[in-house]
Amino acid sequence: MILVTGANGKTGRAMVSALAKAGADVRAFIRDPNQADGLQALGAAETAVGDLGDVASLQRAMAGASQVLHIGPPMDPNEVIYADNVINAATAASVEQFVYYSVMHPQRRVIRHHRLKLEAEEHVIESGLPYTIVEPIRYMQHLVPIWRRVVDEGVHAMPFDIDRKFNVVDLADLAAATTQVLLDPAHLYATYELAGPEALSQRDMAKIISEVIGQPVRAEAVSLAALKKKGRAAGLSADRIEQMAIMNGHYDSHGFLGSSVTLRGLLGRAPTTFATYVRRLQAEQSA
Ligand SMILES: NC(=O)c1ccc[n+]([C@@H]2O[C@H](COP(=O)([O-])OP(=O)(O)OC[C@H]3O[C@@H](n4cnc5c(N)ncnc54)[C@H](OP(=O)(O)O)[C@@H]3O)[C@@H](O)[C@H]2O)c1
């Protein structure tokens, strides 16, 4: 039985689905019992209700689990506390593998959640548990929330200089690769940077999208002030808005580049290109 935390999130749902399709027994750790049906529809064999801050709920959820995939909530100030709680519950349950879902370049300590993930990685390594760490780069799926504007107005707007490059990766590839990590003990004690196959700027992405949808699309850099205003309008916490601004400012200055060699090895095929991802998204959105 594989316990998956953060199961109802964007990443968690992709992981539960990929693991279930590969035949694994998954127990989805969720906060709200109303989320159970959705997770079971994705293939979870069981659900466990609790909170990453509630140690007893984690201990209950861990009963009979042989592996854990821990996916913490994004940009959360409690990243290390939550990771420690899951590590401790996993240690008490003597699980055979602890997979920690981190981020690529946790060494970029200026970004708080990268720094906290670096600290959590240290705790995972020192826990004595057999572990694997996956370090994904920025997802291609950041296109989803802006897709309507891209299609309706022909504007691909992100908070970066339009020529800054990113090796964006398909979340479906990350789910397939992380499934491999959980199915084969050869991956114990590895730390894997997982990046997409192309270094693309917003300008490059706009051009690819334009070719796929057959309409002109231009790239536009959103200012951090505009990003903060949008965050406030969406009701995000002041802390979350500040962390988003720090992260995006850092990516804007330094880009986010990585190699796809490890991902290719785990998948046993070429990782998904941005054009292929956009074609899939277009089909999903028009279905
Ligand atoms: N997006 C990227 O490009 C990217 C790249 C690399 C790494 N990552 C990492 O991927 C991870 C997942 O991100 P995501 O975008 O999938 O997140 P997400 O969609 O916001 O999902 C987070 C999940 O965590 C749950 N959660 C939040 N607080 C909790 C708590 N106290 N106890 C139990 N569950 C709690 C949420 O529950 P509810 O459903 O009840 O709200 C939600 O299901 C993050 O650690 C992020 O840093 C993301």
Side-chain angles (χ1 to χ4, degrees):
M1 178 65 70
I2 304 172
L3 180 71
V4 178
T5 64
N8 193 52
K10 194 167 47 196
T11 307
R13 294 171 70 83
M15 295 298 156
V16 168
S17 175
L19 283 165
K21 280 192 186 120
D25 274 342
V26 176
R27 183 181 295 154
F29 188 74
I30 49 176
R31 284 203 284 196
D32 179 348
N34 293 321
Q35 297 163 344
D37 287 351
L39 268 304
Q40 276 160 8
L42 287 176
E46 297 177 15
T47 53
V49 178
D51 193 287
L52 291 165
D54 175 357
V55 172
S57 72
L58 283 167
Q59 286 167 343
R60 281 194 301 275
M62 207 64 76
S66 51
Q67 290 161 288
V68 180
L69 168 59
H70 172 49
I71 307 166
M75 294 179 227
D76 196 296
N78 294 319
E79 177 81 34
V80 178
I81 295 167
Y82 291 164
D84 285 349
N85 288 345
V86 185
I87 290 168
N88 290 337
T91 303
S94 304
V95 304
E96 292 156 22
Q97 185 185 24
F98 186 100
V99 177
Y100 177 51
Y101 198 88
S102 183
V103 70
M104 204 179 89
H105 298 168
Q107 304 90 337
R108 297 183 185 215
R109 287 178 294 170
V110 155
I111 310 169
R112 185 183 69 190
H113 67 278
H114 282 235
R115 172 171 57 76
L116 294 180
K117 280 180 160 67
L118 183 67
E119 194 178 333
E121 286 194 9
E122 200 177 344
H123 293 190
V124 170
I125 292 167
E126 291 175 352
S127 68
L129 284 166
Y131 71 88
T132 311
I133 296 169
V134 290
E135 296 184 332
I137 206 165
R138 184 178 165 84
Y139 301 168
M140 291 180 183
Q141 275 72 6
H142 285 277
L143 181 56
V144 175
I146 64 166
W147 179 253
R148 279 270 48 96
R149 183 164 181 227
V150 170
V151 173
D152 295 346
E153 298 175 32
V155 178
H156 179 265
M158 297 248 176
F160 314 113
D161 181 292
I162 63 171
D163 290 311
R164 189 68 64 219
K165 291 192 185 274
F166 296 76
N167 277 87
V168 285
V169 70
D170 181 8
L171 176 56
D173 282 358
L174 294 174
T178 306
T179 295
Q180 281 310 307
V181 160
L182 281 150
L183 294 183
D184 183 351
H187 301 296
L188 289 180
Y189 304 108
T191 298
Y192 292 135
E193 288 189 345
L194 301 175
E198 306 150 295
L200 299 173
S201 66
Q202 276 211 77
R203 197 195 293 275
D204 300 328
M205 291 183 206
K207 184 166 179 285
I208 291 168
I209 297 168
S210 173
E211 284 161 7
V212 171
I213 68 174
Q215 292 170 213
V217 178
R218 67 177 170 83
E220 183 182 287
V222 176
S223 72
L224 288 184
L227 182 79
K228 287 182 175 183
K229 197 173 161 200
K230 204 171 157 198
R232 281 193 293 274
L236 298 181
S237 70
D239 181 69
R240 177 72 181 259
I241 292 168
E242 184 59 22
Q243 294 310 315
M244 266 172 49
I246 293 170
M247 173 184 76
N248 288 316
H250 196 270
Y251 292 173
D252 185 36
S253 302
H254 302 280
F256 207 176
L257 296 171
S259 164
S260 64
V261 166
T262 304
L263 182 60
R264 175 185 276 270
L266 287 168
L267 294 173
R269 59 165 169 81
T272 304
T273 62
F274 189 67
T276 299
Y277 169 70
V278 174
R279 279 193 287 273
R280 197 175 81 218
L281 179 62
Q282 185 189 32
E284 282 166 11
Q285 297 283 327
S286 52

